[in-house]
Amino acid sequence: YVLENAGDAPMEGEGGERGQIKTDWTSFSLDATTFEHKGKRYLVWAQHDPKVGGNTSLFIAEMDTPWSIVSPQVALTHPELPWEVIGFRVNEGPAVLKRDGRVFITYSASATDFNYCMGLLHASEEADLLDPKSWTKSPEPVFGTDEAAGQFGPGHNCFVEDEQGRVIMVYHARNYKEIKGDPLDDPNRHTRAQWVGWREDGMPDFGRPVPD
């Protein structure tokens, strides 16, 4: 759903509900995010695909208004690799990062216990972002549990920049491994933040989760 504010500043003016974003079918969906690229705005989100099964896959579509997309929506990644299907078949929590001619999308996979981890998609900034063939998927997680650091199941991140333009990744994780019952009922995925580094080949280096 979309909320709209008619004021000039987000903390001022009158707000209201604009309505539901209509995707190509109605099913469980969440974690929508938007980004602008070459004069167009895109929506990326997680949704259950009845044809694929599992829990959620990631989709992308161009937006024609702040509350609607241009159909058809395009599947970017389905949970299929071994580290994406532990406990649940999940791709969710997309976050977009652009740098040096590339567009990156991180996402989170598997159940929300210590198996939860982050994957990565990337494409050239000159490519058609609505073409799944434009995107390369990391064969392994790019960020995950670090028992030595006492950090378990990190994921569902976003990116912000400081005043010098350095990228900070904000994410949540637990500081213990064993969970009683359904991990979705465990409330202790606390918010953390750390710097993002960059490799010589231009790929982001998320490092390892830092201790509390």
Side-chain angles (χ1 to χ4, degrees), residues 135-181:
W135 296 89
T136 299
K137 183 176 181 175
S138 172
E140 300 292 340
V142 294
F143 198 67
T145 288
D146 189 324
E147 296 204 23
Q151 301 298 318
F152 300 90
H156 203 144
N157 69 294
C158 68
F159 300 106
V160 295
E161 290 187 356
D162 70 0
E163 294 83 349
Q164 287 76 44
R166 297 177 296 178
V167 178
I168 302 168
M169 181 172 69
V170 183
Y171 63 97
H172 60 49
R174 293 185 181 90
N175 59 8
Y176 55 89
K177 182 177 182 179
E178 300 302 326
I179 299 171
K180 295 181 179 180

Side-chain angles (χ1 to χ4, degrees), residues 24-209:
D24 287 358
W25 60 84
T26 299
S27 66
F28 178 82
S29 62
L30 74 171
D31 299 344
T33 189
T34 73
F35 69 100
E36 185 276 334
H37 187 64
K38 293 188 177 297
K40 296 181 179 180
R41 180 159 292 278
Y42 297 88
L43 185 76
V44 184
W45 73 100
Q47 186 169 10
H48 171 67
D49 186 341
K51 296 180 181 179
V52 174
N55 290 73
T56 52
S57 302
L58 288 191
F59 295 89
I60 188 172
E62 183 182 343
M63 304 190 77
D64 55 349
T65 74
W67 54 87
S68 60
I69 63 172
V70 179
S71 198
Q73 63 193 53
V74 176
L76 287 183
T77 172
H78 299 293
E80 55 194 357
L81 299 176
W83 50 273
E84 297 178 304
V85 298
I86 302 174
F88 295 101
R89 300 173 62 87
V90 171
N91 285 171
E92 65 180 14
V96 179
L97 183 63
K98 297 196 294 182
R99 180 182 169 102
D100 293 341
R102 287 177 180 166
V103 181
F104 302 95
I105 297 179
T106 56
Y107 64 95
S108 297
S110 285
T112 56
D113 55 13
F114 66 91
N115 293 297
Y116 204 55
C117 59
M118 281 170 42
L120 180 68
L121 304 169
H122 67 90
S124 167
E125 67 176 7
E126 301 300 330
D128 178 4
L129 300 187
L130 296 178
D131 182 354
K133 296 179 181 179
S134 299
W135 296 89
T136 299
K137 183 176 181 175
S138 172
E140 300 292 340
V142 294
F143 198 67
T145 288
D146 189 324
E147 296 204 23
Q151 301 298 318
F152 300 90
H156 203 144
N157 69 294
C158 68
F159 300 106
V160 295
E161 290 187 356
D162 70 0
E163 294 83 349
Q164 287 76 44
R166 297 177 296 178
V167 178
I168 302 168
M169 181 172 69
V170 183
Y171 63 97
H172 60 49
R174 293 185 181 90
N175 59 8
Y176 55 89
K177 182 177 182 179
E178 300 302 326
I179 299 171
K180 295 181 179 180
D182 189 336
L184 284 174
D185 294 331
D186 183 284
N188 295 315
R189 292 190 288 175
H190 299 309
T191 305
R192 294 164 165 81
Q194 63 190 69
W195 301 109
V196 174
W198 295 94
R199 298 175 180 167
E200 291 185 359
D201 63 1
M203 296 294 289
D205 184 358
F206 301 110
R208 304 175 70 169

Side-chain angles (χ1 to χ4, degrees), residues 1-6 14-22 66-67:
Y1 281 76
V2 176
L3 299 177
E4 180 183 46
N5 185 351
E14 296 294 327
E17 184 181 299
R18 189 74 196 202
Q20 182 180 351
I21 296 179
K22 301 297 184 181
W67 54 87

